[in-house]
Amino acid sequence: MKPSANARHSAFTSAIDTKAQNIVQMTDQFGKEIPVSEYFGCQTFGLAQMREKLTKDAYNSLLKTLDAGKKLPKETAEAIASAVKEWSVSKGVTHFSHWFQPMTGSTAEKHDAFISIQHANHSELRVIERFTGSQLIQGEPDASSFPSGGMRSTFEARGYTAWDPSSPLFIIEETNGKTLCIPTVFFGYHGQALDNKIPLMRSVESVSNSACDFLKLIGDVDVKKVQTTLGVEQEYFLIDKNFVALRPDLMMTGRTLLGSPAARGQQLEDHYFGAIPSRVKHFMQDAEFELYKLGVPVKTRHNEVAPSQFELAPIFEDMNIASDHNLLTMDVLKRIALKHGMVCLLHEKPFAGVNGSGKHNNWSMSNDKGENLLEPGNTPHQNLRFLACLAVTLKAVHSNAAVLRAAIASPGNDHRLGANEAPPAIISVFLGSLLEDILNTIEKGNTLKGTDQQIIDLGVNKIPNVSKDYTDRNRTSPFAFTGNKFEFRAVGSTQNVAVPMSILNAAVSASFKECTNRLKELLKKKKRDEAVMELIKQIVKETKNIRFSGNGYSDEWKTEAKKRGLPILNTTPDALEVFKDKKAVQFLVDTNVLTSEEIASRYHIAVERYVKTLEIEHLSLIELAQSYVIPALEKQILNVGTVHGLMVSKSTAKSHENRMNTLDQVFGKVLSELEKFETLVEKSQKIHDEEKRMWDIVETVQPATFKLRVACDEAEKIVADELWPLPKYREILLANTLA
Ligand code: ADP
Ligand code: MG
């Protein structure tokens, strides 16, 4: 339908008239619903299924390969491929796809059918299902269409995908067919990481190695492996798709570039944890059903702060799997939303004036006994270990705050960070008052007095008993300790979490290495527990700057952070500069998470994506102003002018003139801001150096974007509702409550 006020009204009517979609639940042969535990992961083929379907030898060979991180022997690969094929075909799967994570930030897939031609005899051909070990293990998509950030010259433009056996294979079901997806890494001819998964896997291994060295030194002599764990809380908006169809900005950019805030936004604070609208609940149940079949342990669903904003959180998992699962979750949310006639907006800032969307990354580490290293324990040793790992993490964030900020930089996230709704663009750590007290006590070298229950004896010192059940929270902190894990809250809702997590892991791994070396020195002079305590004390002192418990949204904090010398990087271009600072990124190289070449390539890709994303926004905004806002204003002025000619009484004519003047002013403002904006955009398009263009955009074009938007939003307020073609915020955001 052509965008018009009529179309807008029909979109609204259809949005509120939509009937809830019934979903097919899993039932037994008698039509009775079966519990989730019985079908959870039924569309996946991971280690559990392999143990069942493979011979003992093949399975053991796979385990050995996984442990050693080596290449799979050919026979094992063939055995697995054959089991995978049998399982897939029995489930009606026709195609397979290497599923990978190019540096575009999303996922990519290329589908191939299982069919193959067999020559029965020289004149007769037969089609059979075939899937070989090498098809499972390696693929070669056309790498030239994916960004490499200059790492590949054209003559070696090859890119390869290779199966990551630690992440389960999964089947994506669509109405007319099923595809087997094989989680893979994507790398170049010389082994360069062309994706986001390889650095993540390297970082996980790096943490394990350096944490084990450290733990052995503090007394955990039998530790073999340290696992990093991740639980991702995903925020999103859900809106009727008819609105999106009428808004070129949502279609093109995933966010609204114009729109006057609705009278009722989130000020009543009644949406958070409020009753979930039934249409949305149907969607959630459907999405969760899909995710359960895909083995994603989604646990929590609730409304978020803004109208039509929601959150989903799974139970935490091993880092690599949790990261894959978040990508899968984003895919499922988008796909299932469409099935329900809605669009899932994952953008960090789809609507001005209401909350944006983030993605809290709950991060921790555990040893091979399954003990959480960031969880205070029952014994003096466990508590000492807890404090030591806490100190290591503080050191990691303190030394690499700027790179952690750069790891979450994107044009979308720029709207959140520092915008009084999300953690600020300044990285700091919140620990809570009890831990603050403990660290302050340690710093002073004091021994506490108190009752026995509150105090634990560390052998060398007495500190308050650390209990994870304390509850103070600080929503404004970008990196907060929440009892037994840290929560990196500044991550944007669209981002592949593999990026910030690989950098956080690298920072922690580097910090473990440094602490190990320092502890070795201290051990020359002191007994073990005393040496550990001394190290903790030193680190507590050194990292004091990064700890902040106050209001991260306040202006005082900005002043204070500046005084403390913490990096304040407000925009993506500011943050990306850090990747060019050799000293700042050295820890990524030292921990083997990224080579210098890979870091440089990521910087180039980020610059390019910044420029391209904003160019699309700018061109879309010009279109909106030109073909929607201005024509609506013209019609309105024509109407008002006609009426003005009919005015009889002088006083009415006078008041009416004011109305004409207001319209005239706004019209003039839109026209002149648009002219200026177009000139700036054209000028920026002529800058061929991407870096220079990025700076031009952030410094000159973006402020003009803001001015043009303000003028257009004023127009929305004074143009007759029946002349306004773009669905309004109140319609888009509140329709769900009527459906
Ligand atoms: P919040 O208190 O932030 O609302 P929850 O306590 O429900 O949230 O936990 C948020 C997320 O943290 C969940 O995904 C949960 O599984 C995850 N989480 C809990 N423990 C750990 C851990 N040890 N490591 C990583 N993530 C964890
Ligand atoms: Mg949280």
Side-chain angles (χ1 to χ4, degrees), residues 433-571:
S433 56
L434 182 63
L435 272 181
E436 280 294 332
D437 284 350
I438 292 176
L439 296 199
N440 290 336
T441 309
I442 292 172
E443 185 188 342
K444 292 194 196 97
N446 286 354
T447 301
L448 274 191
K449 294 191 181 66
T451 64
D452 283 346
Q453 268 129 358
Q454 288 168 331
I455 289 204
I456 52 162
D457 192 343
L458 292 175
V460 285
N461 198 344
K462 287 188 170 63
I463 60 164
N465 195 354
V466 187
S467 146
K468 69 167 172 150
D469 301 325
Y470 61 91
T471 50
D472 49 338
R473 289 268 165 145
N474 180 334
R475 284 183 65 89
T476 68
S477 174
F479 200 85
F481 185 71
T482 49
N484 58 357
K485 60 188 187 286
F486 275 99
E487 199 169 325
F488 192 7
R489 300 210 183 106
V491 182
S493 48
T494 42
Q495 203 177 7
N496 181 344
V497 296
V499 177
M501 286 298 100
S502 53
I503 290 183
L504 175 61
N505 288 340
V508 171
S509 174
S511 175
F512 268 123
K513 278 180 202 225
E514 180 187 330
C515 291
T516 300
N517 291 336
R518 286 169 62 171
L519 190 55
K520 278 182 185 159
E521 286 307 307
L522 289 167
L523 282 168
K524 289 178 186 160
K525 289 171 260 160
K526 288 180 193 269
K527 285 216 260 326
R528 194 185 67 205
D529 286 3
E530 269 171 52
V532 177
M533 212 53 214
E534 173 59 27
L535 177 70
I536 294 173
K537 186 173 160 185
Q538 288 176 7
I539 292 178
V540 167
K541 275 191 185 156
E542 291 160 21
T543 59
K544 207 165 176 177
N545 261 347
I546 202 80
R547 277 154 52 199
F548 177 65
S549 310
N551 178 4
Y553 298 167
S554 67
D555 285 333
E556 294 85 72
W557 171 228
K558 284 186 195 123
T559 319
E560 164 74 14
K562 207 172 190 173
K563 239 197 276 161
R564 292 189 187 186
L566 297 179
I568 304 179
L569 305 164
N570 285 321
T571 66

Side-chain angles (χ1 to χ4, degrees), residues 620-632:
S620 305
L621 180 59
I622 291 174
E623 188 198 345
L624 283 180
Q626 197 76 269
S627 1
Y628 290 72
V629 178
I630 292 175

Side-chain angles (χ1 to χ4, degrees), residues 103 148-149 406 572-581 585 594 596-610 689-692 694-695:
M103 292 183 280
S148 77
T572 296
D574 291 323
L576 293 181
E577 279 293 286
V578 178
F579 286 126
K580 294 199 295 186
D581 177 347
V585 294
L594 289 168
S596 303
E597 189 198 19
E598 288 165 345
I599 296 167
S601 79
R602 275 152 181 78
Y603 168 75
H604 291 302
I605 289 170
V607 172
E608 192 185 316
R609 290 190 68 76
Y610 182 84
D689 181 295
E690 294 261 329
E691 244 178 340
K692 285 204 185 108
M694 169 177 79
W695 284 108

